[in-house]
Amino acid sequence: LELAGQLLDEAGFTDADGDGIRECNGCLYAEEGAPLALELITNAGNDDNEAIGVLLQDQWGRVGFDIDFQAIDFNILVDTLLSQEYDMVMIFWGFAFPSEPSNSIRSTFGPTNDLPGAGFNTTSYNNPRVTELIDLANDPTQTNGCDQETRRPLYDEAYQILRDEVPWIWFNSSIVMRAAQPGVENWDPRPGIGGFWNEN
């Protein structure tokens, strides 16, 4: 808490009036006197996300944030996320591991998908090195025919950059299992969001 307070003080957000909420006092990205108020939204009915939202509201409140936490309809949440008209969104997002990590990382952090209303790069993240690494990882002439062990260090570096630059804050991960009876026909489990695998 003390270090967080120091960082906010340095950024020009202080609690000059002593009401427990910090205000912009010489900050760079808000009007002078504006409270440090943010809206955090998640999908209603997701017990884990709702519990985390209440926890975050409390913890950030101790540092001087005024967090308006709301659990809303999932469709409205996705529309708000894609429109890029939000302060903070908490949502479960699946990556296509381990078969094709590039599809998810490119759609979520690639500059070509920074399309308000349609693209999944909703934070407008753009790091040319991450883009270069993903392009290299998908070039069979650079990766010994897309050999996994050749591609691994490229993805390792890309994810290290994402971890260091924090375009997203990852809270947790889930293991999702899906099963079907062996007699089910025309069902093609595939790697993708949530990780579909055929275990027959």
Side-chain angles (χ1 to χ4, degrees):
L1 290 177
E2 184 177 342
L3 178 57
Q6 290 173 5
L7 291 171
L8 288 165
D9 287 345
E10 292 170 11
F13 282 98
T14 59
D15 184 13
D17 59 11
D19 67 351
I21 304 296
R22 292 174 178 269
E23 306 88 27
C24 174
N25 295 297
C27 68
L28 293 177
Y29 301 107
E31 293 182 17
E32 193 70 12
L36 186 54
L38 297 169
E39 181 183 73
L40 170 63
I41 56 175
T42 194
N43 50 303
N46 184 319
D47 294 340
D48 290 341
N49 280 0
E50 289 190 32
I52 291 171
V54 171
L55 181 66
L56 293 174
Q57 184 180 41
D58 175 66
Q59 291 182 345
W60 287 334
R62 295 182 199 178
V63 186
F65 284 82
D66 179 13
I67 302 294
D68 177 16
F69 172 58
Q70 298 181 33
I72 63 176
D73 176 79
F74 182 75
N75 294 319
I76 295 172
L77 178 75
V78 172
D79 288 345
T80 304
L81 176 68
L82 294 181
S83 70
Q84 300 186 16
E85 296 177 354
Y86 62 87
D87 292 328
M88 297 183 291
V89 172
M90 186 167 43
I91 190 170
F92 173 80
W93 200 256
F95 288 96
F97 296 143
S99 67
E100 192 45 73
S102 62
N103 290 339
S104 289
I105 192 173
R106 182 178 282 129
S107 67
T108 308
F109 301 111
T112 58
N113 286 295
D114 181 12
L115 304 167
F120 288 118
N121 184 358
T122 60
T123 59
S124 297
Y125 179 80
N126 183 7
N127 182 313
R129 179 59 180 160
V130 171
T131 303
E132 177 188 19
L133 289 164
I134 300 310
D135 289 343
L136 286 172
N138 286 276
D139 183 347
T141 66
Q142 301 291 321
T143 57
N144 193 25
C146 289
D147 174 67
Q148 286 190 7
E149 292 308 312
T150 306
R151 299 169 86 194
R152 181 185 310 272
L154 300 170
Y155 286 115
D156 285 347
E157 183 181 345
Y159 274 95
Q160 184 66 47
I161 294 169
L162 290 171
R163 188 202 72 126
D164 293 342
E165 295 188 345
V166 199
W168 285 20
I169 299 173
W170 284 274
F171 285 122
N172 58 17
S173 62
S174 300
I175 297 174
V176 179
M177 294 190 298
R178 291 170 173 83
Q181 295 180 354
V184 174
E185 296 180 2
N186 298 320
W187 185 70
D188 184 17
R190 59 180 174 78
I193 293 177
F196 292 24
W197 293 95
N198 188 348
E199 294 291 345
N200 289 344

